[in-house]
Amino acid sequence: MNRRDSIKSILLGSVATGITFHGCNPSEPTASLPQTPDLPQYGRTDKEKLRDQKLFETSFFNEHELLTIAVLCDIILPKSNQYNSASDTDVKEFIDFIVRDMEAHQIPLRGGIMWLDGFSNKIYNKEFVVCTEEEQLHICDQIAYPEETKPELIQGEAFFTRMRNLTLTGYYTSKKGIEELGYKGNTPNVWDGVPEHILSKHGFKYEEEWLAKCINNSNRGDVAKWDDKGNLIS
């Protein structure tokens, strides 16, 4: 099992038990990112919509920070022949929204990016985003494995762990990420009634009129209509 399949396995197990990723702050619920602030209905109250609108109108990260986040996201979840990359699912935009929605992430992420650039300058005399891919991976390898990190790099490890958690949360709560997991949720199946041999065994049978009205999968999405006397019309 490769790294990505391991992640999927962990996430599917979490979904099955109702304890999906909570980002990096287990004391708070994970915020959902609306597709657009213009959506009239996406499960929010008027007060929540107003708050969301204010969040969309503010900014936190500068251009350099957003670029650094984008690079890190794709290092954590890179593109392959089989899978999308983090940037294919707008994970950077997800994180950009989350830090405005959950301010506890702001200082750790901004400070982490500053630490990353400082460490990169120390080793390669340049900022992380302008390093080669090989250099970037060499830096990340030193802070990506908890309990294997050198004591002087613990701050970098904490930052990378937070970035990894946010990246996974953003990716696997996106449409493409959920499709990749193969998780269907509570999807209705097709029911065509009690099997005939079971009905016969107990001395019952369906009336043709009711079969046409109630067990017709071609119109199973239609809302039933009733007359004033409580009789089913259609």
Side-chain angles (χ1 to χ4, degrees), residues 9-215:
S9 160
I10 293 169
L11 279 165
L12 280 172
S14 298
V15 169
T17 55
I19 50 169
T20 50
F21 269 91
H22 287 277
C24 302
N25 190 345
S27 64
E28 300 180 33
T30 300
S32 298
L33 175 62
Q35 296 297 314
T36 166
D38 298 324
L39 282 178
Q41 296 179 348
Y42 54 94
R44 310 288 270 175
T45 65
D46 289 340
K47 184 178 180 180
E48 289 170 331
K49 289 178 184 179
L50 180 61
R51 180 177 182 274
D52 286 349
Q53 188 61 45
K54 290 179 179 179
L55 292 176
F56 280 113
E57 292 171 354
T58 62
S59 61
F60 177 75
F61 290 124
N62 59 40
E63 185 177 351
H64 171 74
E65 291 168 334
L66 287 172
L67 182 58
T68 304
I69 288 171
V71 171
L72 283 170
C73 287
D74 279 350
I75 287 175
I76 292 167
L77 285 179
K79 191 177 186 65
S80 69
N81 293 332
Q82 187 177 0
Y83 301 114
N84 295 292
S85 67
S87 58
D88 289 331
T89 56
D90 298 327
V91 172
K92 178 192 71 176
E93 288 75 13
F94 169 84
I95 295 175
D96 184 32
F97 180 85
I98 284 296
V99 298
R100 286 174 277 158
D101 185 44
M102 302 171 67
E103 296 180 2
H105 290 300
Q106 292 182 359
I107 293 176
L109 287 183
R110 173 160 285 166
I113 293 171
M114 293 174 63
W115 181 95
L116 189 68
D117 281 336
F119 185 54
S120 178
N121 270 302
K122 182 178 179 180
I123 299 177
Y124 297 115
N125 201 32
K126 52 187 173 182
E127 293 178 331
F128 180 79
V129 291
V130 294
C131 288
T132 66
E133 182 179 355
E134 182 180 357
E135 292 167 343
Q136 289 171 347
L137 291 176
H138 176 243
I139 290 172
C140 290
D141 281 343
Q142 297 181 65
I143 56 176
Y145 304 100
E147 300 182 2
E148 297 181 17
T149 309
K150 295 178 180 178
E152 63 270 23
L153 303 181
I154 291 297
Q155 185 179 348
E157 178 198 298
F159 165 66
F160 192 87
T161 297
R162 184 179 293 263
M163 274 298 307
R164 177 167 50 222
N165 289 346
L166 286 170
T167 299
L168 293 177
T169 300
Y171 185 87
Y172 285 110
T173 54
S174 70
K175 185 175 185 296
K176 291 180 180 178
I178 290 174
E179 288 173 352
E180 183 181 307
L181 285 172
Y183 179 66
K184 300 298 182 181
N186 295 324
T187 15
N189 57 5
V190 175
W191 184 71
D192 56 3
V194 178
E196 187 176 348
H197 70 280
I198 300 296
L199 286 172
S200 299
K201 179 180 177 180
H202 296 279
F204 294 101
K205 68 176 183 178
Y206 283 120
E207 297 178 14
E208 293 299 323
E209 178 187 358
W210 283 91
L211 280 174
K213 289 181 178 180
C214 299
I215 307 180

